Amino acid sequence: ITEVTDSRSYSAIDVNNGIFTIKYTVDLKNAYSANILFTLSTTPGNYSLNTECTDYPLVTVSTKADGFVTGGGFIIPTNSGGTIGGAPVNGFKNNFGFNFKFNKAGKPQGNWNTIIRRREGLAEVVYQVKSNIASDLVITKMSNTSYRADLKYTSANFQNLTCSLCPVDANNGIVIVSVYDNGEPGALIDSILISIRDRKNNLWYTSHFPGSHSAGQNSDVQLLNKGNIQIHTQGGPAAKLAAPEITATLLPVEFNIKAIPNPTTTAFEVQLQSDNSRDKMQLRVTDLTGRTVQTFNNLRSGQVLRIGDNYHAGIYIVELMQGEKRKVIKLVKL
């Protein structure tokens, strides 16, 4: 058990819409690490917390990557999104291949390569996104036969293979991937979620929209049509250590909706929370006239939605519904 004690001073500039967020990375023992996110609410105009604050956050404990992850194959998106996503991509093959490992010095190494096809007018246009800069890897054991890996690649290169004279204004992007190895063979068993952001951090492409790379969520991944994912947790320095059993007791999660940043000039990251994992959730966005701007159905607790990229400046009302429960917040687009 690790106790985190923190005392610091902060001013109004550190608080976003009455919310002050602190993220801690806590080293546990050898092969384990944990990320803890504390969110402290303050009274608007009063940014002083003089009393003891005890928070019970969700702690995600994962093994540090001590093996390697590799995979390849293709999916056929049905609900892609992003700058080049949507209907022009849906129904076309998205090929991918990747590898990720840590060298003897503990530095990440790996490559990412994907081919994205889409319809532009009457032609089929092919894009390629490559990176040889492996950044982050976390492997989580889901069950005795299933593992999840979350990978990140940076300095991604974008290219239009159909038109060599058509540059893609997106280079130096980021590729975020979540994969599940559910055993062999991989076809129609293993799954993947691909999200690619351009150099301005705009969502350039996602294989499923709204895709979520949140820990523990797998509703947005897509089964491989062909190919295989292999997640190996043996062979690295931590493989020699006996992995202890981890038992976690989760406290009930309050029915709530959070938007960060708010206000914003770009997009909102909206996080959904509920202790009810059975019933689906619905979200509706309206403007001050009551006009519906956007709706989402069949949502689950823990999902993170990116909304508001195309919203005009103004105030919007977001309503989250699940059964008889209802939560409303305001969004401010500058």
Side-chain angles (χ1 to χ4, degrees):
I1 299 176
T2 301
E3 179 178 325
V4 178
T5 303
D6 181 68
S7 176
R8 67 177 70 184
S9 300
Y10 53 92
S11 61
I13 196 173
D14 300 313
V15 181
N16 186 358
N17 197 36
I19 300 295
F20 182 61
T21 301
I22 309 173
K23 183 176 181 179
Y24 292 96
T25 298
V26 181
D27 285 331
L28 299 179
K29 287 187 176 180
N30 299 316
Y32 295 90
S33 65
N35 289 325
I36 307 176
L37 185 65
F38 294 88
T39 300
L40 308 180
S41 299
T42 67
T43 303
N46 177 13
Y47 299 100
S48 176
L49 293 176
N50 298 318
T51 59
E52 180 180 348
C53 178
T54 302
D55 199 358
Y56 298 94
L58 175 65
V59 182
T60 302
V61 180
S62 304
T63 58
K64 292 181 179 178
D66 59 340
F68 67 92
V69 181
T70 185
F74 74 86
I75 56 176
I76 300 179
T78 58
N79 190 32
S80 65
T83 303
I84 71 160
V89 170
N90 295 336
F92 288 83
K93 281 186 179 181
N94 180 174
N95 296 79
F96 67 89
F98 68 92
N99 61 79
F100 199 124
K101 69 175 183 178
F102 285 84
N103 61 22
K104 294 182 179 179
K107 301 295 183 181
Q109 292 181 333
N111 295 275
W112 169 266
N113 185 13
T114 186
I115 299 294
I116 303 171
R117 299 171 176 83
R118 72 191 300 260
R119 177 72 65 183
E120 295 183 6
L122 299 178
E124 178 181 320
V125 180
V126 181
Y127 291 90
Q128 182 179 41
V129 180
K130 300 173 63 177
S131 173
N132 61 0
I133 307 297
S135 175
D136 300 300
L137 171 62
V138 174
I139 297 177
T140 304
K141 182 177 180 180
M142 309 302 294
S143 69
N144 289 332
T145 58
S146 177
Y147 286 84
R148 166 178 172 158
D150 293 280
L151 312 93
K152 182 179 180 181
Y153 299 85
T154 59
S155 301
N157 177 59
F158 298 69
Q159 187 176 2
N160 185 330
L161 298 183
T162 304
C163 176
S164 60
L165 300 179
C166 303
V168 182
D169 185 22
N171 284 328
N172 198 28
I174 299 174
V175 179
I176 302 173
V177 185
S178 295
V179 294
Y180 285 81
D181 180 3
N182 296 314
E184 309 300 333
L188 296 180
I189 294 180
D190 296 343
S191 52
I192 189 170
L193 170 63
I194 305 168
S195 294
I196 303 174
R197 292 189 172 274
D198 63 21
R199 57 189 176 86
K200 298 179 181 179
N201 202 34
N202 296 315
L203 183 62
W204 190 77
Y205 167 77
T206 179
S207 57
H208 185 92
F209 184 83
S212 172
H213 294 274
S214 299
Q217 299 295 316
N218 62 357
S219 59
D220 299 316
V221 295
Q222 186 167 357
L223 292 174
L224 272 59
N225 290 75
K226 288 289 185 179
N228 192 22
I229 304 291
Q230 293 187 2
I231 300 175
H232 299 265
T233 60
Q234 303 297 325
K240 302 177 182 178
L241 304 173
E245 293 293 328
I246 299 177
T247 303
T249 301
L250 300 181
L251 297 176
V253 179
E254 179 185 3
F255 181 75
N256 199 12
I257 178 173
K258 297 180 180 179
I260 299 176
N262 186 22
T264 183
T265 58
T266 55
F268 306 90
E269 297 286 344
V270 178
Q271 181 177 6
L272 314 180
Q273 296 180 352
S274 176
D275 59 355
N276 181 351
S277 61
R278 300 182 307 275
D279 299 328
K280 298 295 181 63
M281 309 167 78
Q282 296 82 40
L283 184 140
R284 179 174 61 194
V285 182
T286 59
D287 58 22
L288 290 182
T289 67
R291 181 180 65 89
T292 299
V293 177
Q294 204 169 11
T295 59
F296 299 89
N297 297 307
N298 298 321
L299 303 175
R300 292 184 175 87
S301 176
Q303 282 191 242
V304 178
L305 308 179
R306 180 182 172 89
I307 65 174
D309 284 288
N310 300 322
Y311 290 6
H312 297 294
I315 298 176
Y316 296 86
I317 307 300
V318 179
E319 182 181 17
L320 179 66
M321 295 163 286
Q322 186 182 40
E324 297 181 354
K325 293 182 178 180
R326 179 175 178 269
K327 184 73 175 182
V328 177
I329 64 171
K330 289 183 180 180
L331 301 181
V332 180
K333 182 68 177 289
L334 302 176

